Amino acid sequence: MQKANNFLSTIIAFVILISPSVTDASAQNKQDPGSTQNITIELTKEEKIFLKSHPVIRFGTDGTWAPYVVKGANGILEGFDVDLIKYINERVGTNIQIVTGRWAEIVEQAKDLKLDGLATFAASKERGLLFNFSKSYISLFPIFVVDGNSKLKIDGIDDFSGKSIAILKGHQFYLNLLGKYPSINVIESPSEIDAISLTIEGNADAAIVATTSYNNYYKTFGKDIKIGYVATDNPLDIVYSIRKDWPELTAIINKALVALPQETKNNLFSRWFGFSSAEFGLGNEEKRVTLTAQEQAWIKAHPEITLGGGISFEPFIMYDNDGKVI
C-alpha cells in the first residue's frame, strides 16, 4: 500500500496542472492564499454593470469533495475552491458564494437556474449545451480505486470488461469515459464514499475518484483500498460552469484566472494538496505530453523497463544495506 501511495504522490506531482483560482464571498477562510495587492484587472463597462446588477452569485459543488471544500466544526467552509473563489472576489469585485450538497442534486439546481453555476466541474460536450465554461483552473486524472486485497491486474480501462465500476451519480465525465466500454456495468452512487464502500463490500470491482481526492479517502479507509489504475490518457479539466445567459460573468472569471500570480498558485497547492506547484514546474506554460496510439500500446506491452546505473552514484542511485535501490 505504501508503494501505491508513493506512486500516487508522483502522479499528483506531475499531472495536476493548475491554471488559476477562485473563492467565495462569504469566504469562510480568512487566511490570504497569496499576495495579490498589486494586481489590476480591467473590466469593461458591460462587465461592471453586470456586477452591479448581480450583488450575489451562487456556485454549487459537492459537499464531500475535500480538499476542494471542507466544512469545519463550526459549519464554515474552507478548501481549495473556497480560497480560489475568495481570490476572484477580491480581484474583480464579485460576490460568489459556494453552496454545497449532493452533486446530482446540485447539478439539477444549476440546470433549473436555482444556482448560477458549478465549481469543481468537469467540462463535457453534453453540459456545454447548458452552461458556459471558464478556463480550466486545475487538471487531474481519474483513479480507479480497488479493494485493498484485490488481485486484479489492470493495465487499461478495457481490463474492467465484464466488471462493475461505481461512480458518483451525475458525474458526466465518468459516464462518458465508461460509456466507451459497454461491457462495463456502471453503478451510480450518492457520493464517492458510497462508491468506495461498494468496492470494499464486494458489490463493485472498482470506484473512480480524482487524483487530488485519493489521499483524503485513504485517510478514511486506510489499507482497505488501493490504487488499481490511473487513467493518465484521460485527463479531466476542471472548470467553473456558468449559466448561459451570463457571458459577462464567464469573461470576468477568466480575467481573474489569467491574472492569478504564481505565488498564489504555490500557496494554494501547498496548503490543500501538500506541495507547491513551483516545486514541480507547474505553471501556465505547462504542456501535457500526448502519446500516439502506437506509443501507448508499446508502454502497455512493456510494463517493466530495466535501466542500468552506476554503483553508489549518490544522490541519483543509492542502495540500502541489502543492496536494494532506494
Side-chain angles (χ1 to χ4, degrees):
M1 189 64 245
Q2 185 61 42
K3 181 178 179 181
N5 282 307
N6 288 341
F7 173 68
L8 173 69
S9 298
T10 302
I11 287 290
I12 290 178
F14 289 100
V15 306
I16 300 176
L17 317 175
I18 186 171
S19 296
S21 100
V22 179
T23 43
D24 117 47
S26 52
Q28 304 109 326
N29 185 349
K30 297 182 180 179
Q31 297 189 29
D32 186 0
S35 176
T36 60
Q37 297 303 313
N38 298 323
I39 297 175
T40 300
I41 298 175
E42 296 293 335
L43 300 182
T44 66
K45 178 181 178 180
E46 292 74 19
E47 290 165 353
K48 291 176 181 177
I49 292 174
F50 173 87
L51 290 182
K52 190 173 182 179
S53 303
H54 300 87
V56 177
I57 298 167
R58 301 167 74 239
F59 280 3
T61 192
D62 192 290
T64 65
W65 282 350
Y68 295 96
V69 287
V70 181
K71 185 171 289 188
N74 55 3
I76 293 178
L77 291 181
E78 296 182 324
F80 181 87
D81 266 320
V82 175
D83 277 354
L84 198 47
I85 295 285
K86 181 180 180 182
Y87 160 81
I88 290 179
N89 287 337
E90 291 176 348
R91 292 306 95 205
V92 294
T94 48
N95 182 11
I96 301 173
Q97 300 180 1
I98 292 180
V99 177
T100 62
R102 295 221 181 247
W103 182 244
E105 297 170 1
I106 287 290
V107 172
E108 289 304 313
Q109 290 180 44
K111 288 180 180 179
D112 295 337
L113 302 184
K114 295 177 181 178
L115 292 173
D116 305 311
L118 298 165
T120 330
F121 188 87
S124 68
K125 182 178 179 180
E126 292 84 354
R127 295 287 163 78
L129 300 176
L130 300 171
F131 305 106
N132 291 327
F133 298 142
S134 74
K135 293 180 179 295
S136 174
Y137 62 89
I138 191 169
S139 293
L140 40 85
F141 295 132
I143 285 180
F144 288 72
V145 177
V146 297
D147 179 77
N149 296 315
S150 174
K151 303 300 182 184
L152 286 176
K153 184 176 180 354
I154 305 299
D155 295 317
I157 299 178
D158 52 339
D159 289 332
F160 286 104
S161 177
K163 303 186 183 304
S164 296
I165 296 180
I167 66 170
L168 175 66
K169 183 178 180 180
H171 201 298
Q172 193 64 50
F173 181 89
Y174 295 157
L175 288 170
N176 289 351
L177 177 63
L178 298 179
K180 301 173 185 176
Y181 306 89
S183 62
I184 294 177
N185 177 38
V186 179
I187 303 173
E188 294 193 69
S189 301
S191 71
E192 290 183 342
I193 289 179
D194 291 316
I196 294 174
S197 296
L198 286 175
T199 302
I200 295 174
E201 295 162 0
N203 295 316
D205 296 290
I208 304 180
V209 303
T211 40
T212 47
S213 302
Y214 177 80
N215 275 344
N216 183 64
Y217 292 128
Y218 184 74
K219 291 176 184 177
T220 300
F221 294 101
K223 294 183 178 180
D224 287 336
I225 63 172
K226 64 182 180 181
I227 299 170
Y229 177 68
V230 181
T232 54
D233 54 343
N234 289 276
L236 192 160
D237 293 325
I238 300 300
V239 301
Y240 294 104
S241 69
I242 302 157
R243 47 190 292 174
K244 279 284 191 182
D245 57 338
W246 286 8
E248 298 90 348
L249 181 59
T250 306
I252 291 169
I253 288 177
N254 283 341
K255 287 181 179 181
L257 293 180
V258 169
L260 179 66
Q262 186 66 46
E263 178 188 0
T264 304
K265 293 181 186 181
N266 296 343
N267 290 345
L268 286 170
F269 263 69
S270 294
R271 184 173 188 202
W272 297 111
F273 301 131
F275 61 86
S276 167
S277 60
E279 292 179 49
F280 302 96
L282 298 180
N284 287 335
E285 75 287 351
E286 179 70 13
K287 303 295 183 182
R288 179 180 293 124
V289 176
T290 302
L291 301 181
T292 65
Q294 291 80 5
E295 290 167 341
Q296 293 180 38
W298 188 91
I299 289 176
K300 185 173 181 180
H302 299 82
E304 294 185 6
I305 301 171
T306 302
L307 297 177
I311 297 177
S312 191
F313 192 34
E314 300 182 6
F316 301 100
I317 299 178
M318 296 184 290
Y319 299 87
D320 62 17
N321 293 332
D322 296 324
K324 295 181 179 179
V325 176
I326 56 176

